[in-house]
Amino acid sequence: MTAIRLAIVDDHPLFREGVARSLADMGFDIVGEGASRDDAISLSSTSAPDILLLDISMPGGGLNAIFPVLEKNPAQKIVILTVSESRENAAVALNRGARGYVLKGVGSRSLAAILTSVHAGETYISPALATSMLAHVPQTSSDSPIKGALGSLTERELEILRLVAAGLSNKHVAIQLDLQEKTIKHHMTRVLAKLKARNRTDAAMILRDAESC
């Protein structure tokens, strides 16, 4: 299996070098390191990593790197690795297109597993943050605007969509609802078809737009 190519951007050299060394020991190919927003944008273009691992608190801001990186390379997978437990930061990161939001207390093996799942197409958010974000997703009444495009969804499909909108991957939605991951994938396929959404992010934005009206 080809090693996952990884670029790491964090303005704390000791931490960055430690993460790079640990992940390299587990088979990742570290193709670049940087310390700022500008480094992140440059590395995405010049080093072609499969995953760009970004801190938030660095010169220029990690969150501010997401849009310009994806503008140049829409297929770039971005994972935030941060000490920030802010729901707002997590929501901004995911809404801007990051595929993962991971807290720095994570162990190296867990981080490797998360990056592998993101590389395979999953989205990840640290469980404690996901639970907190889900608790703050507003419930809708029967006469809300959700009756429009979302009115065709079943209760289960809507429940799954809310969890996806909170940033959970299919795997973590399955764990939350005590269902099989393949069942969640089946439901999300139906959700995308019913909403005429291109992807999970579009479907989540349709939900958020409807529930903010």
Side-chain angles (χ1 to χ4, degrees), residues 48-128:
D50 295 314
I51 299 175
L52 190 60
L53 189 60
L54 302 182
D55 186 24
I56 286 180
S57 301
M58 60 183 180
L63 295 178
N64 295 330
I66 298 174
F67 274 152
V69 165
L70 294 180
E71 185 175 29
K72 290 185 176 181
N73 181 10
Q76 178 68 72
K77 293 181 172 68
I78 298 173
V79 173
I80 301 296
L81 180 61
T82 178
V83 297
S84 173
E85 299 184 33
S86 163
R87 290 193 308 273
E88 291 75 15
N89 282 342
V92 167
L94 295 170
N95 286 337
R96 290 184 181 182
R99 301 292 187 89
Y101 193 95
V102 187
L103 299 180
K104 282 187 174 179
V106 69
S108 58
R109 291 188 180 280
S110 294
L111 178 58
I114 291 165
L115 294 175
T116 300
S117 71
V118 168
H119 183 255
E122 294 286 354
T123 299
Y124 177 88
I125 183 169
S126 293

Side-chain angles (χ1 to χ4, degrees), residues 43-210:
L43 283 167
S44 178
S45 297
T46 61
S47 300
D50 295 314
I51 299 175
L52 190 60
L53 189 60
L54 302 182
D55 186 24
I56 286 180
S57 301
M58 60 183 180
L63 295 178
N64 295 330
I66 298 174
F67 274 152
V69 165
L70 294 180
E71 185 175 29
K72 290 185 176 181
N73 181 10
Q76 178 68 72
K77 293 181 172 68
I78 298 173
V79 173
I80 301 296
L81 180 61
T82 178
V83 297
S84 173
E85 299 184 33
S86 163
R87 290 193 308 273
E88 291 75 15
N89 282 342
V92 167
L94 295 170
N95 286 337
R96 290 184 181 182
R99 301 292 187 89
Y101 193 95
V102 187
L103 299 180
K104 282 187 174 179
V106 69
S108 58
R109 291 188 180 280
S110 294
L111 178 58
I114 291 165
L115 294 175
T116 300
S117 71
V118 168
H119 183 255
E122 294 286 354
T123 299
Y124 177 88
I125 183 169
S126 293
L129 264 177
T131 300
S132 176
M133 291 173 72
L134 180 60
H136 287 78
V137 174
Q139 301 298 310
T140 54
S141 62
S142 59
D143 59 351
S144 73
I146 205 167
K147 276 188 170 181
L150 300 176
S152 61
L153 301 186
T154 66
E155 289 186 11
R156 176 63 86 184
E157 289 166 351
L158 186 55
E159 181 180 31
I160 290 170
L161 179 56
R162 283 202 175 99
L163 289 167
V164 167
L168 274 69
S169 67
N170 287 342
K171 181 184 297 184
H172 289 88
V173 172
I175 292 170
Q176 186 89 5
L177 299 180
D178 194 25
L179 295 172
Q180 295 294 317
E181 185 175 356
K182 64 181 180 181
T183 302
I184 302 302
K185 290 180 179 178
H186 172 72
H187 281 301
M188 278 307 299
T189 298
R190 289 178 58 82
V191 168
L192 296 181
K194 287 181 178 182
L195 298 183
K196 296 181 173 58
R198 294 172 298 175
N199 51 44
R200 296 158 61 91
T201 301
D202 281 354
M205 291 306 297
I206 290 170
L207 173 67
R208 288 170 180 161
D209 288 346

Side-chain angles (χ1 to χ4, degrees), residues 14-62:
L14 286 177
F15 177 82
R16 184 180 71 238
E17 292 164 9
V19 171
R21 186 165 50 250
S22 295
L23 291 175
D25 288 345
M26 286 184 279
F28 287 80
D29 182 8
I30 309 302
V31 298
E33 296 183 33
S36 68
R37 168 188 176 274
D38 291 344
D39 288 344
I41 297 169
S42 176
L43 283 167
S44 178
S45 297
T46 61
S47 300
D50 295 314
I51 299 175
L52 190 60
L53 189 60
L54 302 182
D55 186 24
I56 286 180
S57 301
M58 60 183 180

